[in-house]
Amino acid sequence: MRVSYRWLLHELGYDIALGALLERMTMNGLEIESVTDLGVGSGRVVVGKILEIKQHPNADNLVLCQVDTHGAAPLRIVCGAKNMKAGDMVPVALDGAHLPNGMTLKRSKIRGEVSEGMMCSPKELGLNDDASGLLLLPQDWIYQIGASFDAIIDVKVTPNRADCLSIRGIARDVAAADNRPIAKFPAHDVAESAQSACEFARVRNEAPGNCPRYMGRVIRGVTIAPSPLWLQRAIETAGLRAINNVVDVTNDILIELGHPLHAFDLDRIAGSEVVIRNARDGEQVETLDGQSCVLTTDDLLIADPEKPIALAGIMGCGNTEITENTRNVFLECAYFTPATIRRTSKRLGKSTDSSYRFERGTDWMALPMIIDRAARLIAETAGGEICTGAFDEGKQMSLPEPILLETARVNMLIGCELNDAQIAEPLRALGFEVMPAGAGAANVRAPSFRADVQCDADLVEEIARIRGYNLIPCELPRIQTRANYPDDDNVLTRKLRERLVSEGFTEVSNYSFTSLDSLARCGFDAATAPRLNNPLSTEYAVMRTHLLPGLLESVLYNQNRGTPDVKLFEIGKVYALAAGKGAPDGDSPVSEQWQFAAVISGPCVESTWRIPAQMGDFHAGKAVAESIVRALGASGAESVRPADAQKDMDENWLGALHPGKSAALVMDGRVLLITGELHPRVRARLELKRNVTALFANFAALAPLLARKPKFGDIPLFPVVSRDLAFVAELDTPAAEIENVITKRTKSLLWDIKLFDVYEGEKIPAGKKSLAYSLQFNARDRTLTDDEVNQLQDKILADLKTKLGVELRQ
């Protein structure tokens, strides 16, 4: 927002140096983005009055002017402009002045005549692009002869401070911080004609929810013409363009008081009836900028019985705009629900000065004074008569409930020792109503222009910033340390992260949102995915039910950028409708749980000059899964087919993994982890260049392992006996089942078992495979004899033959 320094001083009613003003505004929380010095800082651009104009003796297109700047003597200035006359006030750049256009002025001779300065055009001062003549200044407004001209302050107002989107709002903040009263509200008393406004117009509010209050006035017999000089200069300082006297008044009110207004040509409103209503689905409206917008029932319109005449709170339509033929004006001043304007503005991509303010909230209580102020200015600048009475539809709005503010809480939050009077003073200066509520407490009601104040903490912030943050004493906080006892989720997260990082994985963090298409492409059933009522986009329409789709998207992202070989993991929450499949959107509670997942794309072990790369297949994923179980202090987990453990598992993942290259790690009848290669269909849908192996688990499955206490044994005192055995089994016999049979038979005598070879081919019957194991036996109380080991071996072979049909390879 662009603010004129001189206009701001005029609103304040007292002088304050530019530097002090900028510091005060900054400490009040208003960010100063830039300052364009037009003489206030340097003192080299001042206001002058032309006393005399003579023809230049040596140039037909130049004149010699005598200009009074209240100096020792009038200045002689050579000028080529034609739009001024004696008595006009103009900005004068003195010797040494640096102008915004980059020019540095020096005293010089022009065609033989000394020129002691330069009278400036709007372009030379950076106000606009008009270089056709001098910037003529209004008499008796905010400029005084001999005073420095002005400075333009560009203020960045945070979204919660809609009250500072005006000259008066900023002045109120500055005056409160300076402990001075702000000037009275600008003159808004009106002289009404004998004719009632109801004779010439009607108003009907059909959407009170979106437009809680709507006011209107009728001004008849206006003459549309260029605005008077003071009004043109006022809106130009804010970066707006002068149009005509009526429209310029509405813009002046926007800058001065921060409330948008709109003026309609009353004679072009069908039936002279103004209707506030919601748009019909598919209804079209053409706004003043010539764009056609297709509306929905969520959009708000100002209309007559035949057509829309404005997109409420955003922009008017050309069918009722003020033109040189306008004679009768209907002036609108309304309060629109911020969410309604924000929704329409965002959807249509149409942001205006009006929508910017309505989206943040305006002062509904000041509407009568604002519309009367505007009507008065229109009558002064465009003539005409203000009809008796103002339309006021929808007065049901009320002030918010008071907020209880306790002195002890204020002092605790700020860190000061303030009494009741010191707390009440800045609040009253800002327009808050402070009502005593016993010793050390008060009920505080926020004014209608401060919708951002909702609780006592907001009030404490107001007190702190108006008194000055620099007055808060610097003191180190007192922090009482206490032991931190992490819960199971934190312990699991730490152990999983340590294990996976040690395995060479990189942690990623994806959005908790995903799309239905992403779930479907990865083989997940999206029926249980909670849908968002207001998603950022279709790419983030539902909550994720599993971490795997996000990880696969990360693999694809890296692949498309030349990095197909990655090892990634993620730890986060997943979500599902508690009611299960088919639950209505938004009607069922959502359950959430912690989950971890990891993926391997490409080699799990990088190649060296001695060792070739080892691709991250199912076996690599199973090895990582088993290492995680061991890291959690457990042992003895069995690998089973996913189909055999399906009754204990969530079926939602089943379509993502290869049915023949996946496994579930089970302990005590409970599934711990799932691992496997990606299903070929999923890989094809995602267009992945590498085979991908995944592993994942819910925290609920792993949490019981934390209760297990590690078991330690003595270092063996007796030698280990080793035997290598090769077995012949059916192709579909899992190696894990063979290991389970061996383990159960040998019990405590088996020290270690390792599969070191799998072979199919010559000398092996069709449909069979060979599996070679290295077995190590050990007894804690004696040295095992060959006879004991041979007998144990015979029992192993017998059990394998009986239970699995496995025989010793000859």
Side-chain angles (χ1 to χ4, degrees), residues 383-506:
E385 297 180 343
I386 303 171
C387 293
T388 299
F391 297 98
D392 194 351
E393 295 295 320
K395 301 179 182 178
Q396 67 272 28
M397 296 188 70
S398 58
L399 285 170
E401 291 297 318
I403 301 169
L404 179 63
L405 185 64
E406 297 176 330
T407 302
R409 177 163 170 78
V410 174
N411 290 329
M412 185 269 292
L413 290 177
I414 295 181
C416 295
E417 292 297 329
L418 305 179
N419 57 39
D420 294 352
Q422 291 172 317
I423 290 172
E425 183 180 20
L427 293 175
R428 289 196 174 101
L430 288 171
F432 289 79
E433 183 183 359
V434 183
M435 301 162 284
N443 285 317
V444 181
R445 192 192 304 275
S448 54
F449 53 81
R450 291 303 303 273
D452 60 301
V453 176
Q454 302 288 334
C455 61
D456 61 348
D458 295 333
L459 295 172
V460 174
E461 181 182 2
E462 295 301 297
I463 296 167
R465 71 181 186 84
I466 293 302
R467 292 192 75 253
Y469 291 119
N470 56 318
L471 297 181
I472 299 175
C474 297
E475 183 178 334
L476 289 175
R478 289 174 293 178
I479 301 175
Q480 183 178 359
T481 60
R482 59 182 180 180
N484 181 24
Y485 299 99
D487 57 19
D488 287 352
D489 290 342
N490 288 329
V491 174
L492 267 175
T493 297
R494 176 176 56 81
K495 290 190 173 184
L496 287 169
R497 183 174 286 122
E498 290 175 352
R499 181 71 257 164
L500 290 165
V501 168
S502 70
E503 295 278 355
F505 286 79
T506 300

Side-chain angles (χ1 to χ4, degrees), residues 500-674:
L500 290 165
V501 168
S502 70
E503 295 278 355
F505 286 79
T506 300
E507 186 173 9
V508 300
S509 181
N510 290 304
Y511 285 116
S512 296
F513 315 125
T514 187
S515 66
L516 292 171
D517 179 64
S518 179
L519 290 173
R521 286 196 302 164
C522 295
F524 286 85
D525 180 8
T528 59
R531 286 165 172 76
L532 300 177
N533 291 330
N534 188 25
L536 297 174
S537 69
T538 56
E539 297 298 316
Y540 304 107
V542 297
M543 302 296 290
R544 64 186 179 189
T545 59
H546 205 285
L547 296 180
L548 189 55
L551 283 172
L552 293 178
E553 293 289 344
S554 298
V555 171
L556 185 63
Y557 182 91
N558 281 274
Q559 169 194 289
N560 293 339
R561 285 153 182 81
T563 311
D565 300 333
V566 292
K567 295 171 69 176
L568 307 174
F569 78 94
E570 181 173 9
I571 299 172
K573 286 189 175 182
V574 294
Y575 309 85
L577 292 173
K581 294 183 179 181
D585 297 346
D587 293 340
S588 298
V590 175
S591 65
E592 61 181 33
Q593 60 177 326
W594 283 94
Q595 186 183 84
F596 101 90
V599 291
I600 305 172
S601 172
C604 62
V605 177
E606 297 294 333
S607 62
T608 67
W609 65 275
R610 293 183 58 197
I611 304 172
Q614 299 178 28
M615 298 305 293
D617 56 7
F618 160 69
H619 300 288
K622 182 171 175 287
V624 175
E626 290 172 342
S627 74
I628 290 173
V629 174
R630 288 194 298 271
L632 294 176
S635 61
E638 300 179 13
S639 298
V640 301
R641 294 185 181 93
D644 296 338
Q646 182 175 336
K647 62 181 180 299
D648 300 319
M649 300 164 64
D650 179 10
E651 299 180 15
N652 197 24
W653 65 273
L654 289 175
L657 299 184
H658 193 301
K661 297 181 180 180
S662 56
L665 267 64
V666 179
M667 179 180 288
D668 300 330
R670 185 181 68 256
V671 175
L672 301 179
L673 295 102
I674 301 97

Side-chain angles (χ1 to χ4, degrees), residues 128-141:
N128 56 49
D129 293 330
D130 183 11
S132 61
L134 300 183
L135 179 68
L136 303 181
L137 302 179
Q139 306 278 350
D140 303 324
W141 187 43

